[in-house]
Amino acid sequence: MEILSLEQTATVLAEAGEFLPFVEVCLFAGLRLGEAAGLQLGDVNFLGRSIQVRRQVQGSSIATTSVVTPKYGSERTVYVPSELTASLSAHVGRYSITDPDEHLFRTPVGHLFQRNNAGEEWRGIRKRAGLPDSMTLHTLRHTFASNLIASGCDVVTVQRALGHSQPSITLNVYSHLWPSAEDKTRAATADLMASIAALADSPRTVDKKDQVSGNSYR
């Protein structure tokens, strides 16, 4: 499993062109290719900053394209940053999308995106960004998940964001990205030691009493 580095991610976004909003919902909301292709205007809560995943586009050609429910019952709500909803709002305005049932993403001739034409768009971006052929559109979803884990999200939170039916599926794919028990033990103890050291090094006020002069004994 590959994920994008920060530098690669920035390059991908810079090279995405008109396909940028599609890339963004895969990268910043963790949507699968078909789920991104199936998004409609009514699925985006711009004020509430969330995206409803209710359907996906299946097929690898115009003739075989169909819109179905998400795989394995993975309907879900993904909570996203305002930067993503702002980008989608600009996209909606640019293409004058007004009907809640209207799809957000279509090709220049009006077809829905599916495996072949979305893949072609991605391959162009990948080439311009200088990425290896092994990095697919699904790499964006892996990158989304790895960022959640690196930010401290637990397995159930990641599972729900990705639409996995069971936490065990999430663990099977991403368990190596979570800190091990050994890592957690070391980190927790290191934090404790650092806190104690900070207290020991902090200035302390000590009440001092005037010493009794020797003359008092004379």
Side-chain angles (χ1 to χ4, degrees):
M1 183 191 71
E2 294 185 89
I3 60 175
L4 295 172
S5 68
L6 288 177
E7 293 77 9
Q8 289 172 329
T9 302
T11 304
V12 163
L13 295 176
E15 297 293 347
E18 294 295 315
F19 202 56
L20 177 62
F22 193 106
V23 168
E24 288 181 322
V25 297
C26 296
L27 180 61
F28 299 128
L31 271 59
R32 301 175 178 94
L33 185 161
E35 293 171 344
L39 277 183
Q40 296 178 355
L41 178 60
D43 298 327
V44 184
N45 184 337
F46 293 95
L47 293 178
R49 294 173 297 166
S50 65
I51 293 175
Q52 293 281 338
V53 179
R54 296 168 170 156
R55 71 196 66 76
Q56 67 174 359
V57 175
Q58 279 189 339
S60 57
S61 67
I62 295 171
T64 61
T65 296
S66 62
V67 180
V68 299
T69 56
K71 64 185 298 186
Y72 312 129
S74 56
E75 295 93 341
R76 63 194 183 279
T77 300
V78 184
Y79 301 99
V80 298
S82 56
E83 290 82 357
L84 179 55
T85 53
S87 176
L88 292 176
S89 179
H91 171 78
V92 166
R94 186 180 307 118
Y95 290 94
S96 301
I97 301 171
T98 57
D99 187 337
D101 294 331
E102 191 172 352
H103 283 84
L104 291 183
F105 308 120
R106 287 187 179 272
T107 68
V109 293
H111 296 301
L112 290 176
F113 280 104
Q114 28 74 9
R115 196 175 306 126
N116 277 357
N117 53 18
E120 183 178 357
E121 291 284 349
W122 170 252
R123 286 188 291 275
I125 295 169
R126 183 176 63 195
K127 182 177 181 180
R128 294 191 297 274
L131 300 179
D133 291 349
S134 56
M135 287 188 168
T136 66
L137 259 174
H138 207 70
T139 302
L140 304 178
R141 177 172 159 88
H142 289 322
T143 302
F144 168 78
S146 70
N147 178 67
L148 294 185
I149 295 168
S151 298
C153 294
D154 60 78
V155 63
V156 174
T157 299
V158 178
Q159 172 217 344
R160 290 173 177 169
L162 293 175
H164 289 157
S165 58
Q166 298 292 333
S168 58
I169 298 173
T170 310
L171 285 172
N172 286 341
V173 179
Y174 300 108
S175 60
H176 64 287
L177 297 179
W178 266 285
S180 66
E182 293 84 354
D183 292 333
K184 291 178 179 178
T185 301
R186 293 189 185 100
T189 307
D191 289 343
L192 175 62
M193 293 180 69
S195 298
I196 294 171
L199 286 175
D201 292 339
S202 62
R204 288 179 294 181
T205 302
V206 179
D207 292 333
K208 296 183 180 179
K209 295 181 180 179
D210 292 334
Q211 294 183 351
V212 178
S213 172
N215 291 333
S216 63
Y217 292 100
R218 294 178 181 175

